[in-house]
Amino acid sequence: MASKRQKSRRQLELAFVSAGRGEAPSVESGGTELPRADCGTERQASEQRLIEAVCEPANIARAVKQVMSNRGSAGVDGMGVKQLPKYLSRQWPALQEQLLSGRYVPQPLKRVEVPKPGGGVRKLGIPTVVDRMIQQALLQVLQPVWDATFSEHSFGFRPGRSAHQAVAQAKEYIGAGYGWVVDIDLEQFFDRVNHDMLMGRVAKRVEDKRVLGLLRGFLTAGVLEGGLVSATTEGTPQGGPLSPLLSNLLLDDLDRELERRGHRFVRYADDCNIYVRSERAGERVLESVSGFITRKLKLRINEAKSAVAKPSTRKFLGFSFTAGAQRLKLRIAPQAIKRFKARVRELTPCTTGRSLEAVIAGLKRYMDGWLAYFGHCETPTVLKRLDGWIRRRLRAILWHQWGTGPRRFDELRQRGVSGHKAAAAAGTAHGTWRMSHCEPVCTALPNGYFTKLGLPTLAPNTTP
């Protein structure tokens, strides 16, 4: 009869093969599927043998599946996610032994810089694929237990919670008469987290010293940049699955302090808005809360970006709110519209050599994702204007591609424009952008033409 460890190894090998094929990460055990790792997690997490729950076959199989579905770039070792199942089918016994004995050492992070929408760069630390899988396995065991203890005012990176819920809660506060917002911006939060302070909070929830050592190892793994590995003495680098959970754990102290003071607030990760009735009250709250964050959490407030203001003048998770006596409405923040238009310009250059079908296919992917988030706004006029602007850019592409006067004349005539108007348009000296809005071109290329090519509509109930 095969030993228990041999059976476990065989189960995982089958799970790794399934994950590599994109199948569901079931793990067989005597002809039945093992329960998922979050079953019984609360009991296991309170015991000293937490790492065993992390290494359960069902939990590891789920982690592999999740890491592969997230894709992501390779870490410092160059291994991609597609290589992970094959690698683990050979190396998992050794990795498991290192984890169970507390000897596993995470590899350094790969530094990646991503431009911020408002300027500057966001520094990400990309773990190796194996380290991402281990972090994901830890997350699956820790999050169900920890999340249940977090504040109801925290919405970021939590199961069953979303940015839309956070924005809806903010709107409710404003509608109830709390017409001033204390907008707090934490300066480089993910880079400034104090390791000792964070691990002190983890130690209050985790007894297994092997898990504590593993978490500390992920925090201090170092960063590979410019061919050299530099130590990480603070921060919880963005790029790994555990970072959001650890940030919520530390900022739960802020949530509890704000609750103790009776404030109405919404927090999404490091973005925190407190709603008050007057500007004077807001100034007092900003000063007091800033002091708490600096003294108690050892974090810094970005004074240039933090402010007390009317909600209509600030953005929160890409949204803002209408001002005045009219009914309070959720609108897209001007900065978000600016970023949207900048991205659309990148996708629709007038000089592109691609077919219009190819351009629209790229647009559709971006617009579908954008609309899934910003489609919750309550100002459809803005969306209608964006629809018209996008179609105008597509008309400009075709007008440029038609090139010369005779070609443009023929294209307009074939699309139902009268000879007189087609000749006038084809012979004009006006530029491409101006012509994209003129009556003959709009007649030749109506809204429905782009709809048939697959262009989505941002505004609801818009006639094609």
Side-chain angles (χ1 to χ4, degrees):
M1 180 180 293
S3 67
K4 183 176 181 180
R5 176 165 293 188
Q6 288 173 326
K7 287 183 178 179
S8 177
R9 179 176 178 179
R10 177 57 178 163
Q11 292 162 6
L12 280 169
E13 287 176 349
L14 292 172
F16 297 151
V17 170
S18 297
R21 293 172 178 170
E23 300 170 2
S26 60
V27 183
E28 63 178 35
S29 175
T32 61
E33 182 177 333
L34 287 181
R36 295 190 181 276
D38 52 353
C39 296
T41 295
E42 293 190 17
R43 177 182 60 81
Q44 293 168 316
S46 65
E47 298 174 352
Q48 295 182 0
R49 299 176 64 80
L50 180 61
I51 197 66
E52 280 76 11
V54 173
C55 292
E56 281 185 357
N59 191 48
I60 295 298
R62 283 182 61 208
V64 172
K65 181 76 171 180
Q66 186 62 48
V67 168
M68 294 191 68
S69 66
N70 290 343
R71 300 181 181 179
S73 61
V76 295
D77 61 357
M79 182 190 300
V81 293
K82 292 183 179 180
Q83 300 169 269
L84 181 61
K86 185 176 180 180
Y87 175 84
L88 290 177
S89 66
R90 300 192 310 267
Q91 299 298 327
W92 173 248
L95 289 174
Q96 183 184 39
E97 195 280 326
Q98 292 174 30
L99 289 168
L100 293 175
S101 63
R103 294 186 297 105
Y104 183 80
V105 178
Q107 295 191 59
L109 306 171
K110 183 174 74 173
R111 173 68 75 208
V112 175
E113 294 185 349
V114 179
K116 289 184 178 181
V121 296
R122 176 178 290 108
K123 293 185 177 182
L124 303 183
I126 306 300
T128 65
V129 174
V130 173
D131 282 344
R132 290 210 296 273
M133 183 274 294
I134 295 173
Q135 286 195 34
Q136 180 64 34
L138 273 166
L139 177 71
Q140 291 166 181
V141 173
L142 296 175
Q143 188 169 52
V145 185
W146 293 7
D147 191 80
T149 69
F150 290 157
S151 168
E152 65 178 14
H153 301 281
S154 169
F155 292 86
F157 306 107
R158 297 182 59 189
R161 289 177 167 252
S162 69
H164 294 135
Q165 292 174 336
V167 172
Q169 180 64 78
K171 182 184 176 185
E172 185 176 321
Y173 288 145
I174 299 168
Y178 296 85
W180 289 84
V181 60
V182 182
D183 188 352
I184 296 177
D185 185 274
L186 299 178
E187 184 175 317
Q188 296 180 317
F189 167 72
F190 287 94
D191 297 328
R192 301 288 188 187
V193 171
N194 183 285
H195 287 174
D196 291 335
M197 183 170 291
L198 176 59
M199 289 305 301
R201 284 156 177 73
V202 173
K204 292 178 181 179
R205 297 168 177 257
V206 173
E207 297 181 16
D208 193 326
K209 293 182 178 180
R210 296 165 297 178
V211 171
L212 293 174
L214 184 59
L215 290 173
R216 172 76 74 166
F218 281 125
L219 292 174
T220 60
V223 176
L224 178 65
E225 191 171 15
L228 298 174
V229 176
S230 57
T232 47
T233 57
E234 62 179 0
T236 168
Q238 300 178 75
L242 277 174
S243 183
L245 179 65
L246 294 177
S247 66
N248 273 333
L249 175 63
L250 181 63
L251 290 176
D252 191 59
D253 282 17
L254 173 60
D255 297 339
R256 299 308 177 186
E257 178 64 17
L258 295 178
E259 289 176 351
R260 187 185 68 79
R261 299 183 184 189
H263 289 311
R264 288 155 180 82
F265 71 97
V266 180
R267 183 177 66 79
Y268 191 94
D270 58 335
D271 199 345
C272 183
N273 280 4
I274 306 169
Y275 295 88
V276 295
R277 290 189 181 275
S278 70
E279 183 178 15
R280 185 177 178 182
E283 295 292 351
R284 291 197 303 267
V285 169
L286 177 60
E287 181 180 359
S288 176
V289 173
S290 296
F292 173 83
I293 291 172
T294 302
R295 292 191 309 270
K296 298 296 185 180
L297 301 182
K298 309 299 181 185
L299 297 170
R300 299 179 186 175
I301 297 293
N302 189 325
E303 296 183 1
K305 294 184 178 180
S306 299
V308 177
K310 284 290 188 179
S312 58
T313 66
R314 307 293 292 182
K315 66 179 178 67
F316 181 52
L317 302 177
F319 291 96
S320 186
F321 303 90
T322 55
Q326 59 182 324
R327 183 176 68 88
L328 185 67
K329 292 183 179 180
L330 182 67
R331 68 185 178 101
I332 305 170
Q335 300 93 323
I337 294 176
K338 183 178 179 180
R339 289 195 297 270
F340 173 80
K341 296 182 79 169
R343 180 57 180 152
V344 170
R345 287 189 184 97
E346 292 176 358
L347 295 170
T348 58
C350 282
T351 56
T352 181
R354 295 180 299 156
S355 68
L356 195 64
E357 290 83 354
V359 172
I360 289 177
L363 263 180
K364 184 179 186 308
R365 287 190 292 270
Y366 176 65
M367 291 173 63
D368 284 345
W370 190 87
L371 186 60
Y373 186 80
F374 286 105
H376 289 68
C377 78
E378 298 169 321
T379 52
T381 301
V382 175
L383 298 179
K384 290 179 181 179
R385 285 200 297 264
L386 289 174
D387 271 335
W389 177 77
I390 291 170
R391 290 190 293 265
R392 185 174 177 182
R393 290 196 62 82
L394 296 177
R395 292 186 183 105
I397 291 175
L398 281 180
W399 187 253
H400 179 82
Q401 289 180 348
W402 290 347
T404 63
R407 166 82 186 277
R408 287 171 174 172
F409 176 82
D410 291 341
E411 293 287 353
L412 292 173
R413 291 290 290 136
Q414 291 172 14
R415 288 169 166 78
V417 178
S418 68
H420 174 71
K421 291 183 178 180
T428 185
H430 294 318
T432 299
W433 182 244
R434 180 169 176 176
M435 290 304 297
S436 67
H437 195 53
C438 76
E439 189 261 337
V441 175
C442 291
T443 299
L445 302 171
N447 296 348
Y449 172 75
F450 302 109
T451 302
K452 290 178 181 178
L453 291 179
L455 181 70
T457 298
L458 297 177
N461 302 321
T462 299
T463 303

